[in-house]
Amino acid sequence: MSSASNGAGVISGSAAALYGAGTSLRCAGCREPIVGRIVSAMNQRWHPTCFQCVVCGELLEHVSSYEHDGKAYCHLDYHEKFAPQCYHCKTPIADERFITLDDPALGGQRYYHELHFFCAECGDPFLDPSKSSAAPRGLPSANSGADDDDVGFTVYKGHPYCQPCHVKLRMPRCGSSLKPGLRLLPGIGCHRPITEGTVEAIGRRWHLQCFTCSRCKKPFEDPSFFQRGDQAFCDPCYRVIVKSEL
């Protein structure tokens, strides 16, 4: 079990003043009698020089101390050994508030400092910085009416993305080939993501407004068109082309 005293619960003074003259007390650390100053912590009594971090030996009488399985730790060593580690910066999380994720798409459980959980593409944090524990008190929130727990993200290939970046990375682009692996070509489509109104024609995907006649550049008034190679023509333009070839 772990507990943190953070200085609270540590009482120091003389043994005689705290427990009366003639009282025999033994140090929980060295088991020797305590004469003079005494530290009372973790429900035990200590010499000031014996109440120290079990790892680094720092004296804990006047600093924050933590208990784990009956052993005392300084702030640094306690968090190094027992605190969750931030997935991004790989350092222990000492803050009381942090982000925990248990999403199979992310490969299992992860922990983050509040502002280290951000979009893998644009780097914007998913949590409003004004709502983090690190924000200055009284800082107005950019979304003061929003739900504090509403942290939206989408996982793609093991990384979290905000919605705009997910659309940019995952949605098909106007002018992209229906055959996997083929690149976008200059001048074919606008190359922006297609979120709705997809047209699949002449081997590519298009925005409805971007699929136009190759000759007059006007959108097709109805779904029908005439194809020549990798080009599409409206009925009037196709008639002109055919007539010119006669």
Side-chain angles (χ1 to χ4, degrees), residues 70-181:
K71 297 179 180 179
Y73 295 85
C74 66
H75 176 89
L76 178 61
D77 286 318
Y78 177 83
H79 288 95
E80 285 286 348
K81 291 179 70 66
F82 305 115
Q85 188 179 79
C86 177
Y87 184 84
H88 170 68
C89 67
K90 309 303 181 185
T91 62
I93 302 175
D95 306 321
E96 291 185 4
R97 291 177 53 186
F98 56 90
I99 293 173
T100 302
L101 298 177
D102 194 2
D103 191 330
L106 289 173
Q109 197 166 58
R110 291 184 183 181
Y111 303 95
Y112 293 86
H113 290 104
E114 288 179 300
L115 297 185
H116 284 181
F117 182 48
F118 47 74
C119 174
E121 177 69 11
C122 68
D124 286 345
F126 295 115
L127 178 69
D128 183 349
S130 66
K131 296 179 181 177
S132 75
S133 57
R137 299 303 179 190
L139 183 68
S141 171
N143 301 296
S144 56
D147 185 353
D148 288 352
D149 295 326
D150 186 14
V151 180
F153 64 95
T154 302
V155 178
Y156 174 58
K157 292 185 177 180
H159 299 284
Y161 294 89
C162 64
Q163 184 62 22
C165 287
H166 179 251
V167 169
K168 182 176 70 174
L169 292 171
R170 291 286 294 137
M171 294 294 104
R173 293 177 179 271
C174 182
S176 63
S177 174
L178 294 174
K179 295 181 179 180

Side-chain angles (χ1 to χ4, degrees), residues 22-95:
T23 303
S24 177
L25 296 173
R26 290 190 176 273
C27 174
C30 67
R31 311 310 301 172
E32 294 296 323
I34 301 176
V35 178
R37 288 187 57 76
I38 185 173
V39 174
S40 179
M42 297 166 47
N43 296 318
Q44 299 187 81
R45 314 292 177 254
W46 312 75
H47 290 112
T49 55
C50 291
F51 184 52
Q52 57 184 250
C53 174
V54 70
V55 176
C56 69
E58 179 183 6
L59 299 182
L60 303 175
E61 181 181 6
H62 300 299
V63 298
S64 298
S65 60
Y66 295 78
E67 178 185 1
H68 183 82
D69 289 343
K71 297 179 180 179
Y73 295 85
C74 66
H75 176 89
L76 178 61
D77 286 318
Y78 177 83
H79 288 95
E80 285 286 348
K81 291 179 70 66
F82 305 115
Q85 188 179 79
C86 177
Y87 184 84
H88 170 68
C89 67
K90 309 303 181 185
T91 62
I93 302 175
D95 306 321

